Amino acid sequence: MGELMETPLAARANASSALLEEILRLKRERNAVILAHYYQTPGIQELADVIGDSLALAQAADRSNADVILFCGVHFMGETAKILNPDRIVLVPDLEAGCSLADGVTASAFAAFLDQHPDHLVVSYINCSAAVKAMSDIICTSSNAVRVVNSLPTDRAVIFAPDKHLGAYVQRITGRRMLLWDGSCEVHAAISRDKLKSLMGKHTQAKLIAHPECPEEILTEADHIGSTASLLEFVTRDPGSTFIVATEAGILHNMRKAVPHKTLIPAPAFAENTCACSECPYMKLNTLEKVRDALKDMKPEVSLPEMVRLGAERALRQMLALG
Ligand code: 13P
Ligand code: SF4
């Protein structure tokens, strides 16, 4: 890590110094904070004030007193920051940065589903729209989903949306009766069990670490399951020297910085014609040029109807109150 810290920012970010200087100048002038998810490009991660998983970034957005929050992630993450900061300007570099989970549950379909199960408590994964959050009792992220479900009264049945894989994982751990919305992350669902098994056969000493958005057939093989932050923490504290990493490949940038002496192998995806690893096409829509333009033009800005925001804030704050 020490060696990398001494490398100039332009080299670490693989970008021109002029572009980086312009972004840093605009950031100062706007009194902006840059929050970035681990799945962002290395350049954006190098520039960010805070890098984290969904929970850490929601907490950072909640704590922020900057005038402008530039959220380098996908749309629902920018919305989360806006839900918690109605009086601040929240920008995302590319408003088209969606998410297959969030896009797989519309507010109207969810409302109809809830009408059929009025006696259930509703837990929604943070990867959903503000409108879906507003219909939920409490929100969770991948790092606190088990804790959130365990916090609910045991005599109540639970609806979990929109990730059926994370929901099934939580169900296995908590033993709770849960009705799962049929959604999934297209990136984690594309990790190939066959290719993974063959990779594990070649690296018999390697430990498999996996994000709980992966299907059960991947999770059953894993030595450790956790959020992006938890996977990063695991490779730093575990004595193992080789890890197969079953999540979006962006996390490898920070992992390589944290454990440069260890071998990190991305879990392979099904498709033959893409890179061997898993990349989220939505996360990767953000670029340093779009970061610069967002700070220059003060757009695209995230906005929400106040009624929706208030409902979503209630459910989000239930989660944040758990710590
Ligand atoms: P975490 O940030 O909770 O690890 O979730 C990963 C993810 O898919 C974000 O979209
Ligand atoms: Fe959504 Fe999956 Fe991309 Fe995360 S990695 S933003 S869950 S599509």
Side-chain angles (χ1 to χ4, degrees):
M1 193 158 189
E3 261 173 50
L4 278 163
M5 294 295 282
E6 286 153 26
T7 311
L9 176 61
R12 297 198 316 268
N14 193 20
S16 79
S17 332
L19 175 60
L20 296 174
E21 275 163 26
E22 193 179 1
I23 294 172
L24 293 173
R25 175 182 56 79
L26 287 162
K27 187 168 84 91
R28 269 193 314 275
E29 286 171 9
R30 301 294 192 194
N31 187 26
V33 66
I34 300 182
L35 310 183
H37 192 268
Y38 287 123
Y39 294 164
Q40 291 295 284
T41 62
I44 291 178
Q45 290 192 44
E46 287 297 333
L47 205 71
D49 297 295
V50 182
I51 314 166
D53 68 0
S54 303
L55 179 62
L57 293 175
Q59 289 166 333
D62 192 32
R63 278 195 309 270
S64 175
N65 47 23
D67 294 326
V68 176
I69 298 173
L70 176 59
F71 209 123
C72 297
V74 291
H75 184 256
F76 77 81
M77 295 181 169
E79 267 193 351
T80 300
K82 186 66 182 179
I83 291 164
L84 297 170
N85 293 280
D87 301 329
R88 297 184 204 286
I89 293 170
V90 177
L91 306 170
V92 291
D94 192 325
L95 270 188
E96 296 299 313
C99 166
S100 68
L101 279 168
D103 296 343
V105 52
T106 62
S108 56
F110 199 50
F113 182 65
L114 298 190
D115 279 349
Q116 289 165 15
H117 309 283
D119 52 333
H120 285 54
L121 289 172
V122 183
V123 180
S124 288
Y125 188 32
I126 198 162
N127 297 39
C128 66
S129 67
V132 167
K133 286 184 177 73
M135 282 182 251
S136 310
D137 292 300
I138 187 164
I139 305 306
C140 72
T141 73
S142 68
S143 58
N144 64 15
V146 168
R147 185 143 52 105
V148 166
V149 169
N150 275 334
S151 76
L152 303 175
T154 48
D155 60 340
R156 298 287 302 278
V158 173
I159 283 175
F160 189 95
D163 187 353
K164 64 179 174 189
H165 297 308
L166 175 63
Y169 167 72
V170 173
Q171 203 166 14
R172 289 194 292 280
I173 303 273
T174 63
R176 294 292 296 266
R177 195 158 46 92
M178 286 162 58
L179 203 51
L180 309 179
W181 183 267
D182 187 13
S184 62
C185 160
E186 66 183 48
V187 179
H188 291 87
I191 294 174
S192 160
R193 182 173 185 274
D194 290 348
K195 286 188 179 180
L196 185 62
K197 291 291 275 185
S198 120
L199 196 61
M200 289 165 81
K202 284 189 203 132
H203 301 272
T204 50
Q205 301 305 310
K207 290 186 176 168
L208 173 66
I209 58 173
H211 195 280
E213 288 176 11
C214 292
E216 184 179 359
E217 61 176 19
I218 306 289
L219 296 182
T220 49
E221 305 291 336
D223 296 286
H224 177 72
I225 298 168
S227 74
T228 43
S230 167
L231 300 183
L232 179 59
E233 203 252 331
F234 185 79
V235 298
T236 57
R237 79 175 147 79
D238 187 83
S241 62
T242 307
F243 299 88
I244 299 174
V245 184
T247 192
E248 210 271 357
I251 188 71
L252 293 167
H253 177 67
N254 240 276
M255 277 186 184
R256 288 186 179 125
K257 286 175 73 175
V259 287
H261 52 293
K262 297 192 180 183
T263 305
L264 304 166
I265 308 168
F270 283 114
E272 299 290 350
N273 57 347
T274 61
C275 72
C277 56
S278 308
E279 287 212 324
C280 174
Y282 312 109
M283 286 279 182
K284 296 311 197 252
L285 281 177
N286 295 328
T287 62
L288 283 169
E289 287 75 12
K290 289 179 191 174
V291 166
R292 186 253 336 264
D293 292 346
L295 287 171
K296 192 162 59 157
D297 305 333
M298 294 297 274
K299 64 176 194 197
E301 187 178 351
V302 178
S303 63
L304 283 168
E306 184 61 4
M307 280 290 283
V308 172
R309 191 199 68 76
L310 281 171
E313 182 177 23
R314 173 196 43 74
L316 256 177
R317 295 219 176 270
Q318 287 291 331
M319 172 188 85
L320 293 173
L322 290 181

